[in-house]
Amino acid sequence: AGATAIDYADRDLTGTSPKASIAFDSGEDWTLRLSLGRGVRFPTVSELFQGTSTASSITVNDPSLEAEISDAVELTLERDLAIGHVRASLFQDDVRDSISAQTNIAVTPHVTNVQNIDRVRSRGVELALSAAPAAWPALSLSGNLAYVRTRILGNRNNPTYVGAEWPRVPRWRGNLQTAYRPSPEWLASLGVHYSGRMYNRLENDDIHPDVYG
């Protein structure tokens, strides 16, 4: 802080991220799989310490940030077909102490706050398909469609966020791509991507749903 030195207290964070998966193969082209896992993301140096202050912007760092801990579970059913492969998945991702950096542009200078959000949970379903028709071996098709609901379930810093959707996670999203390879030298492909409405702020107060920001 100018000519004043600030000493931060020593901190030590450790984490484990075990993962496990168990599958049942029916022997008749059906596979059922259950997967569990934990992911840990530690806060970065900039999130912890590198706050800044200029005439146009202020970044408020937090040296007491906790690590993000994500517990995920997925149940997947897969089927091999004569022309390809289909998959259906149910999934949940439960994140504690998610790290968020949000900028308030309604004030001058703009203020960016780095903070932990106590708990965020995502639940959804995904369908996926890949196929290569035997009658047209040079043609392939792949695609997926997913629906997910992501909610903030707890936040002591600002309880008004509870119940809001997590930013930048659309409820609906899908991809469809087809490729045609008439020879080893040539490949043509056409793809389309769809993403439903999503919010860009923790308050979910975005007023223009058809643009980003």
Side-chain angles (χ1 to χ4, degrees), residues 50-64:
Q50 292 178 356
T52 60
S53 178
T54 68
S56 60
S57 66
I58 297 174
T59 299
V60 182
N61 62 297
D62 184 355
S64 63

Side-chain angles (χ1 to χ4, degrees), residues 61-196:
N61 62 297
D62 184 355
S64 63
L65 284 175
E66 298 294 335
E68 287 186 354
I69 299 178
S70 168
D71 291 312
V73 57
E74 180 181 75
L75 180 65
T76 299
L77 180 64
E78 299 177 334
R79 166 74 168 171
D80 289 325
L81 305 174
I83 62 171
H85 182 83
V86 293
R87 173 177 56 84
S89 299
L90 297 173
F91 58 88
Q92 175 178 289
D93 191 17
D94 201 332
V95 184
R96 288 180 285 120
D97 293 320
S98 183
I99 299 174
S100 170
Q102 178 168 287
T103 301
N104 183 0
I105 62 174
V107 297
T108 302
H110 301 335
V111 178
T112 299
N113 285 297
V114 181
Q115 60 182 309
N116 283 123
I117 305 297
D118 291 345
R119 188 181 176 198
V120 181
R121 186 183 66 195
S122 301
R123 286 176 172 172
V125 58
E126 182 182 29
L127 303 175
L129 166 71
S130 60
W136 299 285
L139 184 68
S140 64
L141 178 71
S142 63
N144 71 294
L145 179 66
Y147 174 80
V148 59
R149 288 298 302 273
T150 301
R151 293 288 189 183
I152 298 175
L153 300 184
N155 187 43
R156 288 164 294 178
N157 290 333
N158 191 339
T160 62
Y161 293 161
V162 175
E165 297 186 26
W166 189 247
R168 294 175 291 280
V169 179
R171 293 190 186 183
W172 287 97
R173 52 188 165 184
N175 296 279
L176 183 63
Q177 180 167 324
T178 181
Y180 179 66
R181 185 184 290 275
S183 69
E185 293 82 15
W186 288 94
L187 171 68
S189 65
L190 177 65
V192 60
H193 169 75
Y194 172 78
S195 177

Side-chain angles (χ1 to χ4, degrees), residues 1-9:
T4 303
I6 299 176
D7 294 326
Y8 291 103

